[in-house]
Amino acid sequence: MKKHGHKKRKFENYAYILDFLEYGHTDDNIPLHQRKAIAQAFGEEQFVLMEMALKDNKTVELAERVYIGKGKRNKIDHIIKMLTYDELTPTAKTELFYVIKEAIMKNEKRFINFINKCGPITTRLHSLQLLPGIGKTVMWKIIEERELKPFESFEDIEKRVHRDLLNSIAKRIEEELKEPQKYYLFVKWKAYQEQ
């Protein structure tokens, strides 16, 4: 059996709807009455972009959180494929930043833990500096504050550091999904794809 260097692949349990295409893609060659409804979505844990087939007569709303894990699914029939950022519809691209923020807030503890524990990537670059809007001064302020007392929430960070790290993390995740990066903080599956 061949062993891989990285952890066992994790699958998404929930996803956020980025776009709902009631009659599939407009450029499909299938007659309109035979087309199936599809949705483009963003995975809550691994941040996978995907296209999904809906069950017959089911609809979804933009930014709706849907169950896509194993077992009984209410609205989603199956995952068709993973997508790249460029394959997203214009609506999906517009919606992406907002659903990223939703996913972060749903897992706030995970991201606060990252802020409390992340360290340097190289001798000259700290993980925090990869977040948009975080320069050396703010980075040191965050490090000093978390040493005094670990952060408890984004609100706590904003009170003590006067920075909106929720938006910074969401922007970073969006950047990691949009184009190749030298370092990936959050979208780990893209790092594996590019190896």
Side-chain angles (χ1 to χ4, degrees):
M1 193 169 100
K2 197 174 174 185
K3 285 193 176 179
H4 295 281
H6 54 84
K7 295 177 194 165
K8 186 177 175 248
R9 186 161 169 228
K10 289 182 184 174
F11 292 94
E12 300 283 7
N13 284 317
Y14 289 92
Y16 291 88
I17 302 300
L18 296 171
D19 197 3
F20 172 55
L21 306 163
E22 194 175 357
Y23 300 106
H25 291 286
T26 50
D27 56 358
D28 278 349
N29 293 326
I30 306 162
L32 198 61
H33 69 280
Q34 290 178 354
R35 291 187 193 175
K36 296 270 187 194
I38 60 171
Q40 291 190 337
F42 170 78
E44 184 176 84
E45 289 279 326
Q46 308 298 314
F47 311 134
V48 174
L49 298 172
M50 63 191 99
E51 194 160 271
M52 314 183 290
L54 272 73
K55 290 185 173 185
D56 288 342
N57 305 317
K58 294 288 182 183
T59 62
V60 286
E61 302 290 324
L62 292 187
E64 182 180 340
R65 184 174 181 254
V66 293
Y67 180 69
I68 60 167
K70 291 182 174 22
K72 192 177 182 323
R73 299 173 181 165
N74 290 337
K75 295 186 172 187
I76 306 306
D77 187 58
H78 64 277
I79 310 302
I80 299 168
K81 62 179 180 177
M82 283 176 64
L83 299 171
T84 64
Y85 178 83
D86 293 333
E87 292 173 299
L88 294 177
T89 64
T91 300
K93 286 178 182 175
T94 304
E95 200 64 25
L96 183 60
F97 182 71
Y98 303 102
V99 301
I100 290 172
K101 283 173 68 171
E102 287 284 322
I104 293 168
M105 285 311 294
K106 199 84 180 161
N107 296 286
E108 186 175 15
K109 215 174 233 142
R110 167 184 165 191
F111 293 96
I112 297 306
N113 195 35
F114 168 81
I115 298 297
N116 283 327
K117 294 187 172 163
C118 69
I121 292 173
T122 68
T123 50
R124 292 170 177 240
L125 182 68
H126 196 282
S127 304
L128 291 168
Q129 290 174 277
L130 294 180
L131 301 177
I134 306 298
K136 272 206 158 112
T137 311
V138 178
M139 174 200 78
W140 284 114
K141 177 77 174 148
I142 292 169
I143 291 168
E144 285 165 19
E145 284 292 331
R146 76 183 188 184
E147 281 173 9
L148 293 172
K149 182 178 181 264
F151 294 110
E152 291 173 11
S153 65
F154 284 113
E155 197 180 327
D156 186 26
I157 294 169
E158 205 159 342
K159 272 185 199 155
R160 290 160 57 189
V161 184
H162 310 294
R163 275 290 186 281
D164 180 356
L165 286 198
L166 171 60
N167 271 330
S168 293
I169 291 172
K171 283 178 187 157
R172 177 65 196 186
I173 291 169
E174 191 175 35
E175 282 174 15
E176 290 181 14
L177 287 167
K178 276 184 180 178
E179 53 212 34
Q181 305 287 324
K182 188 171 182 183
Y183 304 108
Y184 285 90
L185 296 178
F186 306 109
V187 188
K188 307 287 193 217
W189 62 268
K190 277 201 70 183
Y192 296 134
Q193 265 187 350
E194 289 164 18
Q195 282 176 352

